[in-house]
Amino acid sequence: MTKRTHTQLKKVALKRKDVKAAYDALDEEFSLLEEMIKTRLKVGKTQDDVAKAMKTTTSVVGRLETGGGKHQHSPTIATLRKYAHALGCDLQIKFVKLL
């Protein structure tokens, strides 16, 4: 049996309409998580650095950045603000008109 990469598996899975619809429904969440990680890396901080600044644990920051954990829930604006401040950034939330 040939091993497939994540990209290959994703491509196959997204050919299914139900999987594609579920994936597309999470686009905003994926974009937020990607932006969080991208910004953290850009400012040169580790998850441990962020955790210390937020006065929490590295595992909490990891779950925050992956949207994971067994109790998946959306972070509060206060938590996102703490995360942003730990990166030396301000949190901005915008509404963008749909095309």
Side-chain angles (χ1 to χ4, degrees):
M1 183 175 191
T2 305
K3 289 186 180 183
R4 294 185 189 181
T5 65
H6 175 264
T7 303
Q8 291 168 326
L9 289 171
K10 180 178 164 184
K11 186 176 179 179
V12 170
L14 290 176
K15 288 180 182 177
R16 291 183 40 195
K17 288 182 182 182
D18 60 330
V19 173
K20 176 89 168 94
Y23 184 83
D24 288 347
L26 294 172
D27 184 57
E28 290 171 327
E29 184 174 343
F30 289 152
S31 293
L32 172 63
L33 299 173
E34 182 179 344
E35 184 66 23
M36 290 169 68
I37 294 168
K38 184 172 69 174
T39 303
R40 178 175 57 76
L41 295 174
K42 184 177 179 181
V43 300
K45 298 219 177 190
T46 65
Q47 287 183 340
D48 190 51
D49 296 331
V50 174
K52 287 176 182 168
M54 291 178 69
K55 296 183 172 65
T56 189
T57 64
T58 304
S59 62
V60 167
V61 173
R63 283 192 305 274
L64 183 61
E65 290 183 348
T66 61
K70 63 182 181 180
H71 302 294
Q72 292 182 353
H73 66 281
S74 298
T76 64
I77 291 174
T79 298
L80 291 174
R81 187 178 296 119
K82 283 181 187 178
Y83 183 92
H85 290 175
L87 299 179
C89 298
D90 283 326
L91 175 66
Q92 292 184 356
I93 299 173
K94 298 187 232 179
F95 289 92
V96 179
K97 185 164 176 56
L98 297 173
L99 300 175

